[in-house]
Amino acid sequence: MRDENCIFCKIIAGEIPSRTIYEDEDFKVILDANPASKGHALILPKEHCANIYEISEELLSKAVKLAKKLAAHMTKLLNCDGFNLLQNNGEVAGQTVFHFHMHLIPRYVGMKNKDLLNWTHEEFTDSEQDEICEKLKMNS
Ligand code: 5GP
Ligand code: ZN
């Protein structure tokens, strides 16, 4: 339920202060302490789970529904021009706090961090892509 060494569990318990914009029985939504843009917020499930692999389908579904509501709400109030949902899993993927969270990042035309998600594409041959595709096929 709670990890004693987890900073987000401490924020959820109110032991570390945060700027909370929304709270219900399952989630607390706070402003990111190091925002990439005006209004950058984090959806934190109250139950401690480290990442996408650990969170239950039920709680994840609720988080995504909440993200949709907040995206609409924040876009209206911040008058932003676009919106990123971002969710990192594992150090190599950029995760620094190992309590599942979804970033809500309002985007503005002309904003400082315009290259926030700019990656250069990797080259794979057609046969490599075919092989990857075959390997990843999953039944519905
Ligand atoms: P990650 O890199 O794990 O996807 O994102 C972690 C985020 O949590 C970072 O954007 C970081 O700024 C934010 N963060 C880390 N510690 C705190 C804190 O104590 N309070 C708040 N509000 N945000 C935090
Ligand atoms: Zn935690």
Side-chain angles (χ1 to χ4, degrees):
M1 203 65 188
R2 174 188 165 139
D3 178 334
E4 290 305 323
N5 299 315
C6 172
I7 192 162
F8 285 173
C9 282
K10 289 178 183 159
I11 286 175
I12 287 156
E15 294 160 14
I16 292 176
S18 64
R19 293 187 173 87
T20 303
I21 63 171
Y22 175 84
E23 185 160 10
D24 65 22
E25 60 174 347
D26 295 312
F27 300 100
K28 191 160 181 160
V29 182
I30 63 170
L31 289 189
D32 195 295
N34 303 293
S37 70
K38 187 170 88 180
H40 180 174
L42 303 169
I43 297 180
L44 312 180
K46 289 187 172 177
E47 188 184 318
H48 179 88
C49 39
N51 51 38
I52 189 86
Y53 308 109
E54 286 189 8
I55 194 169
S56 70
E57 278 190 12
E58 191 192 354
L59 196 54
L60 180 61
S61 306
K62 285 183 181 174
V64 172
K65 280 186 187 166
L66 180 57
K68 179 168 171 61
K69 272 191 198 162
L70 283 163
H73 171 76
M74 292 166 72
T75 299
K76 196 166 146 194
L77 293 176
L78 295 167
N79 206 19
C80 58
D81 304 299
F83 213 91
N84 289 113
L85 290 185
L86 182 66
Q87 199 277 308
N88 301 325
N89 300 283
E91 210 173 330
V92 72
Q95 188 175 13
T96 59
V97 179
F98 298 92
H99 177 127
F100 178 98
H101 53 280
M102 282 174 73
H103 293 261
L104 301 166
I105 309 180
R107 300 297 292 260
Y108 304 88
V109 171
M111 68 185 267
K112 181 178 151 203
N113 279 313
K114 65 179 188 309
D115 291 335
L116 192 61
L117 301 173
N118 260 8
W119 63 78
T120 52
H121 69 273
E122 280 199 42
E123 298 287 349
F124 293 99
T125 63
D126 282 349
S127 68
E128 282 172 330
Q129 284 288 72
D130 288 345
E131 201 180 307
I132 293 162
C133 184
E134 281 307 315
K135 190 171 179 169
L136 294 181
K137 277 185 181 164
M138 188 172 84
N139 295 324
S140 54

